[in-house]
Amino acid sequence: MAQEDVKLLGVIGSPFICRVQIALKLKGVEYQFVPQDLQNKSEELLKFNPIHKKVPVLVHNERAINESLVIVEYIDEVWKGKSILPTDPYQRALARFWAKFIDDKIYSAAWKSVFTVNKEEREKNIKVLHEIFQFLEDELKDKFFGGEKFGFVDIAAIYIAFWVPILQETAGLQLFTNEKFPKLYKWSQEFMNQPTIKECLPPRDPIFAFFKGRCESLLALAN
Amino acid sequence: MAQEDVKLLGVIGSPFICRVQIALKLKGVEYQFVPQDLQNKSEELLKFNPIHKKVPVLVHNERAINESLVIVEYIDEVWKGKSILPTDPYQRALARFWAKFIDDKIYSAAWKSVFTVNKEEREKNIKVLHEIFQFLEDELKDKFFGGEKFGFVDIAAIYIAFWVPILQETAGLQLFTNEKFPKLYKWSQEFMNQPTIKECLPPRDPIFAFFKGRCESLLALAN
């Protein structure tokens, strides 16, 4: 394809940006990363995502695509190379189902399992999170959700592999462990050990500091 | 395709079931509708949707697909005939973006605009709903969201065309009118006038009665 102009508007440390970065890396797409200040939104961001005004935004030849999973499907359809979604329609439907499940369930449940002051409430939230993890544990039949190679669901689930362990460490909790979810835990290690994934992961320390800050403000408010 | 066995587990009156029925009708797929009692969930439902235990579930040759938009994409990929999503990857991404926008925003906003007792709160909720409608009004450039023929976004938006007017009538509100949103209103009339859509719409009266019941219980609770 001639004259490719690919820009990714994003912030470092976001799992949603990371999904798009993995998809671009997997397809070998050259792109320009355009960092955004979400406290002071750029004209470019407001122009390319006037509805949600958030990142990631992929701008391909001056046309914008929003929503991380929509972007990942777009990348899969536009660029040749390793495929991200399966080719069989039924397997594609399952992949879309699980990616949506992760989007609808994980973020809020993981956040509430850590950032809830009331102990009883937090225990309830942890129970919900564990039920969600259990569904994923049961679904994982091969090395990856995508089979022998990682794919759409694995990419969608990067938050569980990389962000959840940092989140739990911040609060000194044991939400996601090898003992409780052996298959899912093993998956997380294998997945993060893939060269493509390693190259796309953001630095750990600023994320830890961000979560820690949140945790401390919450405790300060509660006391 | 030989030996097709297609079942749709659903309830009459749900916009999510209606989406799937439109897609099946559009492709000319013969199927068996298997009504479900959600107060007393069947073994079949629990077997085919063990995660969410809700409808719609499409069962195609004993393999289940869940989540209405995932099902509609599956139907589009499996059966030939009129296509539901556009073929161009960028247009496909836009269609997925808007369908997700509708799913994430409309239901909760429409519900809260009607079923909020506190008048000031309700006004705020109506303002939010109107902002959402305005985005759709601005997006509508042709006869349908899909262009000259209706497609994925139109099907996703059936709730706005058929359910929202019933909802507002229940409460004697004017949320979605020709005066406020002329393009979107015209779209809703054109869309519901399509023979395929007409055949898939559920009877109006039970839905009105259901919403009215909700409205009255809420007022009773508030007094």
Side-chain angles (χ1 to χ4, degrees):
Chain A
M1 217 182 274
Q3 286 275 330
E4 289 287 8
D5 177 15
V6 184
K7 282 188 292 193
L8 173 60
L9 277 55
V11 291
I12 302 287
S14 149
F16 303 104
I17 310 298
C18 188
R19 287 173 168 178
V20 177
Q21 290 176 307
I22 294 170
L24 289 167
K25 174 72 72 180
L26 204 65
K27 296 282 188 173
V29 180
E30 297 282 327
Y31 66 97
Q32 181 196 354
F33 184 82
V34 188
Q36 299 295 307
D37 174 3
L38 297 182
Q39 305 305 314
N40 184 16
K41 295 183 179 180
S42 69
E43 277 186 31
E44 202 171 20
L45 178 60
L46 301 177
K47 173 185 163 193
F48 285 126
N49 190 353
I51 315 285
H52 300 304
K53 304 173 183 66
K54 61 182 193 178
V55 291
V57 180
L58 187 78
V59 186
H60 182 202
N61 294 336
E62 284 302 299
R63 298 199 298 186
I65 304 108
N66 295 300
E67 296 286 357
S68 65
L69 292 179
V70 174
I71 298 172
V72 172
E73 282 216 55
Y74 174 80
I75 292 168
D76 197 31
E77 292 183 358
V78 167
W79 285 281
K80 306 277 176 249
K82 289 179 188 160
S83 56
I84 296 172
L85 274 115
T87 48
D88 172 69
Y90 181 66
Q91 297 302 328
R92 288 164 75 82
L94 288 186
R96 290 187 183 118
F97 171 84
W98 284 108
K100 180 172 165 50
F101 175 82
I102 289 163
D103 262 12
D104 290 350
K105 303 286 182 184
I106 289 285
Y107 300 97
S108 152
W111 197 256
K112 285 187 199 162
S113 296
V114 170
F115 298 117
T116 303
V117 175
N118 179 290
K119 211 184 155 208
E120 220 168 281
E121 277 295 309
R122 198 173 64 214
E123 289 302 320
K124 268 190 214 165
N125 295 337
I126 291 173
K127 208 174 151 229
V128 171
L129 182 67
H130 281 172
E131 284 166 6
I132 296 165
F133 281 154
Q134 192 60 51
F135 279 126
L136 291 164
E137 174 85 4
D138 296 341
E139 174 58 16
L140 200 50
K141 291 175 187 79
D142 299 298
K143 189 169 166 189
F144 298 112
F145 288 100
E148 277 310 298
K149 288 181 181 163
F150 70 84
F152 194 56
V153 181
D154 302 280
I155 295 172
I158 184 67
Y159 182 76
I160 301 171
F162 187 71
W163 275 261
V164 168
I166 305 177
L167 192 60
Q168 68 180 6
E169 195 189 319
T170 315
L173 290 168
Q174 299 277 306
L175 305 171
F176 175 46
T177 62
N178 191 24
E179 290 67 39
K180 285 195 190 88
F181 305 101
K183 286 197 291 174
L184 196 61
Y185 189 83
K186 193 175 171 213
W187 160 84
S188 74
Q189 302 304 305
E190 296 262 20
F191 187 42
M192 286 198 297
N193 219 17
Q194 299 292 302
T196 310
I197 305 306
K198 267 188 194 166
E199 285 175 48
C200 293
L201 292 174
R204 200 179 185 280
D205 290 354
I207 299 172
F208 185 86
F210 171 77
F211 286 153
K212 193 78 188 168
R214 280 296 180 103
C215 212
E216 280 164 6
S217 335
L218 188 84
L219 287 174
L221 274 175
N223 291 325
Chain B
M1 218 182 274
Q3 286 274 331
E4 289 287 8
D5 177 15
V6 184
K7 283 188 292 193
L8 173 60
L9 278 55
V11 291
I12 302 287
S14 149
F16 303 103
I17 309 299
C18 189
R19 285 172 168 178
V20 177
Q21 290 177 308
I22 295 169
L24 289 167
K25 174 73 72 180
L26 205 64
K27 296 284 187 171
V29 179
E30 297 282 327
Y31 66 97
Q32 183 197 352
F33 184 82
V34 188
Q36 299 296 308
D37 174 1
L38 296 182
Q39 305 305 315
N40 183 17
K41 295 184 179 178
S42 70
E43 277 187 31
E44 203 172 19
L45 177 60
L46 300 178
K47 173 186 163 191
F48 286 125
N49 191 352
I51 314 286
H52 300 304
K53 304 174 182 67
K54 62 181 191 178
V55 291
V57 181
L58 187 78
V59 186
H60 182 202
N61 295 336
E62 286 300 300
R63 298 199 297 186
I65 304 108
N66 295 300
E67 295 286 356
S68 65
L69 292 179
V70 174
I71 298 173
V72 172
E73 280 216 57
Y74 174 80
I75 292 168
D76 196 32
E77 292 183 0
V78 167
W79 284 282
K80 305 277 176 249
K82 289 179 188 160
S83 57
I84 295 172
L85 274 114
T87 48
D88 172 69
Y90 181 67
Q91 296 302 327
R92 289 165 74 82
L94 288 187
R96 290 189 183 118
F97 171 85
W98 284 108
K100 180 172 165 51
F101 175 82
I102 289 163
D103 262 12
D104 289 349
K105 304 284 182 186
I106 288 287
Y107 300 96
S108 152
W111 197 257
K112 285 186 199 161
S113 295
V114 170
F115 298 117
T116 303
V117 175
N118 180 289
K119 210 181 155 210
E120 220 167 282
E121 276 296 308
R122 197 172 65 215
E123 289 302 320
K124 268 190 214 163
N125 295 338
I126 291 172
K127 208 173 153 231
V128 171
L129 182 67
H130 281 172
E131 284 167 6
I132 295 166
F133 282 153
Q134 192 59 51
F135 279 127
L136 290 164
E137 175 85 4
D138 295 342
E139 174 58 17
L140 201 51
K141 293 178 186 79
D142 299 299
K143 189 169 166 188
F144 298 112
F145 288 100
E148 278 310 297
K149 286 182 182 164
F150 70 83
F152 194 56
V153 180
D154 302 279
I155 295 173
I158 184 66
Y159 183 77
I160 301 171
F162 187 71
W163 275 261
V164 167
I166 305 177
L167 191 60
Q168 69 180 5
E169 195 189 320
T170 315
L173 291 169
Q174 298 279 303
L175 304 172
F176 173 46
T177 63
N178 191 23
E179 290 68 38
K180 285 196 191 88
F181 306 101
K183 286 198 291 173
L184 195 61
Y185 189 83
K186 193 173 172 216
W187 160 83
S188 74
Q189 302 304 303
E190 295 262 21
F191 187 42
M192 286 197 297
N193 219 16
Q194 299 292 302
T196 310
I197 306 306
K198 265 187 195 166
E199 285 175 47
C200 292
L201 292 174
R204 200 178 184 281
D205 291 353
I207 299 171
F208 184 86
F210 171 77
F211 287 153
K212 193 80 188 165
R214 281 294 179 104
C215 211
E216 281 164 6
S217 337
L218 187 83
L219 287 174
L221 274 175
N223 291 326

